[in-house]
Amino acid sequence: MRNIPVAEVDELARAVLAIGTDYPRDHLLGWHEHRRAQVLYAATGVMRVETADGSWTIPTARAVLIPPMTRHQVTMTEVSTRSLYIEPAAVPWFPSRCRTVDVSALLRALILEAVEMEPRYPEHGRDAALAALVLHELKSLTPLPLDVPLPSDPRLRGLCEAFLGNPDIHDPPARWCAALNVSERTLARRFRDGTGLSFAQWRQRACVLHSLHLLAVRTPVTRIAAVLGYDNPAAYTAAFKKLLGRPPTAYGSPSP
């Protein structure tokens, strides 16, 4: 199925529904939720999924698991998606919070093939077997550190969200302290309590994940480093590799 709303087929008695969707170049899919669990795969481009408690970046050829009834919005950069909508009872192991995951070559092929199936595929036969294999493969997904947790404190969250829109690796904690009228020790405690990360760790992660969107539109590494405030491209590349295990050049755009 392609370019149809899941609401049109949601009630079909099938454990797995697969839909491919092509979006405009820069598109915001506003706040919504699904009854089914969703595996949202980026066939092309980069997505950012936001919920009440965090932000997840999904590069090309990776996916995010979105639990049932989780309110979220998606910001897209040159994106074509392939989504699996799964009956909750079929995935009792599904996480209770969004999770960005790596996608094996086999699972990628299965997802792309599932999109070609008829929505009312026979309950016994080749397509049903493919859907069953998809469910099996989903259990062994490898999580990726592509999330930026957001605190519940409204004032601190507001500063975090503003930073995500315009990140700077050298943004000083003193500026945040002044905005919140707190000491650096209090800021450090609020960051650790609210996000599980130190201020420096959160800032670094936010910058690296923001750069994935720039890489998706083929921005040169030298330009990305300058935009994010790194002292030089090598410093940016080192930070990228420390978080994601591979250099920026590894995050290319395979064909959908």
Side-chain angles (χ1 to χ4, degrees):
M1 295 179 284
R2 292 179 181 270
N3 297 310
I4 67 168
V6 65
E8 292 186 9
V9 293
D10 185 47
E11 296 304 322
L12 289 179
R14 299 293 183 272
V16 179
L17 300 173
I19 300 176
T21 309
D22 303 312
Y23 291 96
R25 176 170 181 151
D26 292 302
H27 182 71
L28 174 64
L29 188 59
W31 292 98
H32 64 288
E33 59 191 38
H34 307 292
R35 182 186 66 82
R36 292 173 177 253
Q38 182 182 10
V39 178
L40 179 59
Y41 172 76
T44 63
V46 173
M47 302 178 288
R48 187 175 75 205
V49 172
E50 298 170 78
T51 72
D53 63 347
S55 172
W56 288 259
T57 300
I58 305 95
T60 302
R62 281 79 176 181
V64 60
L65 309 183
I66 304 175
M69 304 309 295
T70 297
R71 188 166 170 78
H72 61 284
Q73 70 173 4
V74 188
T75 304
M76 305 179 179
T77 304
E78 299 189 342
V79 165
S80 177
T81 67
R82 305 293 181 265
S83 283
L84 304 175
Y85 296 95
I86 306 171
E87 283 289 350
V91 283
W93 54 266
F94 217 75
S96 59
R97 185 173 182 266
C98 289
R99 179 184 299 166
T100 308
V101 293
D102 207 357
V103 176
S104 68
L106 173 57
L107 182 57
R108 177 174 180 267
L110 291 171
I111 291 173
L112 298 181
E113 186 64 26
V115 170
E116 305 304 322
M117 299 189 317
E118 291 296 322
R120 292 178 175 81
Y121 56 85
E123 295 187 66
H124 302 284
R126 182 258 191 190
D127 289 350
L130 190 152
L133 184 54
V134 164
L135 293 175
H136 181 81
E137 286 300 306
L138 288 175
K139 291 183 180 179
S140 58
L141 292 171
T142 302
L144 296 172
L146 296 174
D147 65 301
V148 180
L150 293 173
S152 58
D153 178 86
R155 294 178 64 203
L156 181 56
R157 183 187 177 101
L159 290 174
C160 289
E161 289 176 339
F163 183 89
L164 291 177
N166 188 28
D168 178 354
I169 192 61
H170 292 305
D171 190 16
R175 183 185 71 82
W176 296 60
C177 291
L180 297 171
N181 194 28
V182 299
S183 67
E184 290 204 16
R185 174 176 288 186
T186 298
L187 177 70
R189 176 175 53 78
R190 287 189 182 180
F191 249 98
R192 183 67 68 177
D193 291 345
T195 70
L197 301 172
S198 70
F199 175 82
Q201 289 172 330
W202 188 93
R203 182 180 59 186
Q204 183 84 280
R205 181 176 290 205
C207 286
V208 168
L209 298 189
H210 181 83
S211 75
L212 291 170
H213 294 270
L214 301 176
L215 290 168
V217 294
R218 294 166 288 281
T219 306
V221 167
T222 52
R223 176 60 180 159
I224 294 174
V227 166
L228 296 176
Y230 285 93
D231 295 335
N232 51 61
Y236 159 67
T237 298
F240 193 103
K241 288 180 67 175
K242 182 177 181 181
L243 179 64
L244 300 182
R246 287 180 282 182
T249 52
Y251 282 75
S253 300
S255 300

